[in-house]
Amino acid sequence: MRIATWNVNSLKARLPRVIDWIGYASPDVLCLQETKLADDAFPALDLLALGYECVHFGEGRWNGVAICSRVGIDAVVSGFAPGAGDDPEARLVTARCGAMVVSSVYVPNGRELGHDQYLRKLAWLASLRSHLDHVADPTDDVVVCGDFNVAPDDRDVWDPAAVHGGTHVSPPERRALQELCEWGLTDLFRVQYERGELYSWWDYRAGAFHKRQGMRIDLVLGSASVVRDFSWALIDRSARKGPQPSDHAPVIVELRSDSAVAKAAG
């Protein structure tokens, strides 16, 4: 069972690349962020032709999240569940894929420390934890994945000294992410890898990708039962190469065949 997440930075611009990538990566569940499409512009038929049912929550020019699944989609919640929080932007969609609750998230950037958008980012992460209380239980099979715009620790940035004092690495952001994980989630990538210098995002400017000046801000968080079924994870840097790439690379997690999602898929 293969789960992937990818901030595509405009699905309209990147659709041929996504289709090509699906052809060789073959995820069973693919979460997308920053589609930058309205719902009626989402290429559902193109993805259906590849075997995916999709749910998309978009607003047009900005944001936009999707879940594409080969194991079914049910119980869709667009945005925060009632009572969990309020967000006018399309940054979260949740669905049941087989026996697993899956959320595709695009956490606000935060702009700069002390900015209203920074405070909103911290509140958004708190609302995400509340949202999980409404849609799942820590004993369920749960995956929360996407662009968190937070590097969990200093291993996840190319130069801690260069980035400290900015967003994505501040103690309050990292603490908010840790509090989300305390709901019952584990950073699956870190189950396999302890070392640093493994990134999922690189600035388009100044040749950052080729200089390996990146951050690991695209995460796949899994509940305890998902951790038990974990097999391997990787960041597909090859998808960041070539003409007109997204500034993010896909993150892929493989679960063993006895996982609950695979059972539900038959």
Side-chain angles (χ1 to χ4, degrees):
M1 183 65 203
R2 189 167 296 173
I3 302 169
T5 183
W6 194 1
N7 179 324
V8 293
N9 191 13
S10 175
L11 186 56
K12 181 178 180 180
R14 237 67 71 183
L15 181 59
R17 292 187 65 116
V18 171
I19 290 174
D20 179 69
W21 183 81
I22 286 173
Y24 72 80
S26 192
D28 297 291
V29 177
L30 172 59
C31 292
L32 301 172
Q33 301 86 41
E34 215 172 349
T35 62
K36 298 182 179 179
L37 293 174
D39 289 339
D40 60 4
F42 184 79
L45 292 179
D46 296 271
L47 292 160
L48 184 61
L50 300 176
Y52 293 92
E53 295 179 72
C54 298
V55 58
H56 179 257
F57 180 38
E59 59 187 79
R61 187 177 177 185
W62 309 109
N63 308 314
V65 285
I67 301 172
C68 306
S69 171
R70 287 176 169 168
V71 297
I73 285 186
D74 194 14
V76 175
V77 180
S78 296
F80 291 122
D86 185 27
D87 184 4
E89 298 179 334
R91 293 183 174 273
L92 171 66
V93 65
T94 302
R96 187 170 289 274
C97 301
M100 178 174 285
V101 177
V102 177
S103 289
S104 179
V105 308
Y106 179 39
V107 178
N109 179 283
R111 296 191 185 177
E112 62 184 36
L113 300 187
H115 193 282
D116 287 348
Q117 291 296 317
Y118 176 79
L119 300 178
R120 173 172 172 257
K121 179 179 188 175
L122 300 179
W124 199 97
L125 285 165
S127 292
L128 179 57
R129 175 168 175 159
S130 179
H131 170 78
L132 292 177
D133 284 329
H134 287 75
V135 300
D137 185 273
T139 60
D140 295 335
D141 299 314
V142 180
V143 166
V144 181
C145 59
D147 178 1
F148 282 80
N149 272 314
V150 180
D153 63 49
D154 282 354
R155 291 174 294 175
D156 300 310
V157 296
W158 67 276
D159 184 347
V163 299
H164 276 184
T167 59
H168 297 61
V169 298
S170 70
E173 290 168 284
R174 288 175 166 175
R175 187 162 53 248
L177 178 61
Q178 180 58 39
E179 289 170 355
L180 172 65
C181 289
E182 288 170 0
W183 181 86
L185 301 172
T186 296
D187 181 350
L188 295 178
F189 193 78
R190 284 292 174 222
V191 175
Q192 180 174 350
Y193 302 98
E194 292 187 4
R195 70 182 183 89
E197 299 182 352
L198 298 169
Y199 311 128
S200 64
W201 172 86
W202 303 259
D203 198 314
Y204 283 126
R205 297 169 295 182
F209 179 71
H210 301 289
K211 295 176 183 176
R212 296 184 176 270
Q213 296 175 349
M215 293 186 180
R216 189 177 71 92
I217 58 176
D218 300 272
L219 311 176
V220 181
L221 310 180
S223 60
S225 59
V226 174
V227 174
R228 287 193 294 270
D229 286 326
F230 174 82
S231 181
W232 54 260
L234 63 82
I235 298 171
D236 186 4
R237 293 183 76 255
S238 65
R240 179 60 172 78
K241 301 175 182 178
Q244 294 188 313
S246 170
D247 47 352
H248 296 252
V251 181
I252 309 171
V253 166
E254 179 94 351
L255 305 179
R256 289 189 292 270
S257 59
D258 59 348
S259 72
V261 180
K263 289 176 183 176

